[in-house]
Amino acid sequence: MASALAPAAPVHPAVVAVARRRGRRRTTRAPASSSASAQVETDADVIANHERILGIRDAPKDTVLMFSYGANINPYTLNRRGIGPTASAVARAPGRRLVFVHRGGYASLEEAVDDDAKDAGLGERTRGALGTVHRISKTELAAVRRWEIGYEMREIDVVVADPPGYRGGDEDEHEDGDEHGEDDDAREEDEGGAEDDLAPGERRVRATVFLTKRTARLKTPVVPFSEYVAKIVGGAESMRLDEGYVAELRALASKAPASNERGREYFDIAAEWSEDYGF
């Protein structure tokens, strides 16, 4: 079983940029596996980024992992809003699909609990919706929470992949659950969608995610509007998500209406209006 998280290139440009700012890049060589004759080179900064995600390097207790699947896939998008992840990595939310059921035509995640749900949204082929997991401070998470109108914070398992040749870490010792001390009312546990077979080199981590509240959920899914889906496609391309997944996003973008062309279905919510929206 191959991992859908395998990068399209050995080192992501964002990681290279960080490495250049920090100084000279270094590489470490891992022994060649029995299935490969050439040695695998793993950039030391890639390893450092990965271990920050796992919480075993430079990850203070006041930081958390946040899984982004929409406009915040690219860490530079967060940078422009004053959020500075200390590490970011491609991840997937096993057993969940990317769907556009949030008021206005925005994204959320839903569990694929039956055959109909598995066929809906994006993520069936990749065994879960794809995105980026960012390590940020609790203060930064609180700032993001203020932006995400109509969303609630939940904790879920997401899956990340080890860099080629990586031999360190122990997934059982570095989960980000209750050690961060989030209030139960602010960030609920969500055990759904977590059952999943891991591909070689994959491991689970615990992350906070923003999911649509019942009071912001549309009656039926819609095609995301063009300005919004363009940000998702751009982030997915920048982070080099699975090519097939990116192709599905591009297909949505090709038929997306402009924001000023959205019909009534983009605002037809299933529950009564809530002051959560602020408008």
Side-chain angles (χ1 to χ4, degrees):
M1 176 174 56
S3 172
L5 306 178
V11 181
H12 185 269
V15 177
V16 174
V18 171
R20 287 173 178 164
R21 288 197 298 270
R22 289 176 180 165
R24 182 181 177 185
R25 289 178 57 198
R26 304 170 305 280
T27 60
T28 57
R29 289 184 179 271
S33 68
S34 58
S35 61
S37 58
Q39 289 185 312
V40 177
E41 285 193 1
T42 302
D43 190 285
D45 291 288
V46 175
I47 292 177
N49 181 81
H50 185 59
E51 291 186 342
R52 291 186 186 100
I53 292 295
L54 299 183
I56 59 180
R57 180 191 299 210
D58 302 333
K61 294 294 185 180
D62 64 347
T63 64
V64 295
L65 291 178
M66 178 182 71
F67 178 67
S68 298
Y69 52 85
N72 293 326
I73 289 176
N74 190 333
Y76 293 140
T77 301
L78 291 172
N79 290 161
R80 289 195 292 270
R81 302 187 75 174
I83 307 299
T86 58
S88 299
V90 174
R92 66 180 172 88
R96 297 177 187 271
R97 303 290 180 262
L98 177 68
V99 290
F100 296 90
V101 294
H102 192 89
R103 188 179 192 275
Y106 293 93
S108 189
L109 298 181
E110 288 192 347
E111 292 181 50
V113 295
D114 53 36
D115 290 340
D116 289 339
K118 288 179 181 178
D119 293 334
L122 277 66
E124 192 278 331
R125 188 183 56 80
T126 52
R127 297 183 300 124
L130 301 185
T132 305
V133 64
H134 306 286
R135 184 166 288 282
I136 61 175
S137 71
K138 289 183 179 179
T139 301
E140 290 173 321
L141 180 65
V144 176
R145 187 185 185 190
R146 288 193 292 271
W147 310 336
E148 301 293 355
I149 298 172
Y151 289 89
E152 60 185 350
M153 292 194 302
R154 305 293 292 268
E155 269 198 355
I156 66 172
D157 282 336
V158 298
V159 175
V160 297
D162 290 339
Y166 183 71
R167 297 292 184 268
D170 184 341
E171 66 175 314
D172 294 331
E173 296 179 3
H174 312 295
E175 294 186 354
D176 275 289
D178 296 335
E179 63 179 294
H180 297 295
E182 283 289 329
D183 295 336
D184 290 340
D185 291 340
R187 189 172 63 179
E188 297 181 25
E189 294 284 329
D190 189 336
E191 301 298 337
E195 293 187 7
D196 181 59
D197 292 330
L198 298 180
E202 290 186 340
R203 65 179 76 210
R204 294 184 183 90
V205 295
R206 201 74 171 160
T208 297
V209 66
F210 288 87
L211 302 177
T212 297
K213 292 182 178 180
R214 180 184 64 84
T215 51
R217 179 184 171 82
L218 297 174
K219 291 182 178 179
T220 58
V222 296
V223 175
F225 61 97
S226 58
E227 296 91 332
Y228 176 60
V229 72
K231 294 179 181 179
I232 302 177
V233 171
E237 291 174 340
S238 175
M239 292 304 292
R240 303 187 182 185
L241 300 191
D242 174 83
E243 292 180 358
Y245 192 85
V246 176
E248 291 182 81
L249 288 170
R250 292 192 189 111
L252 285 176
S254 69
K255 53 187 177 183
S259 60
N260 61 357
E261 297 175 344
R262 288 174 289 179
R264 294 182 59 183
E265 68 273 18
Y266 284 79
F267 304 94
D268 190 9
I269 57 177
E272 293 182 0
W273 182 89
S274 168
E275 63 183 9
D276 289 335
Y277 304 130
F279 54 79

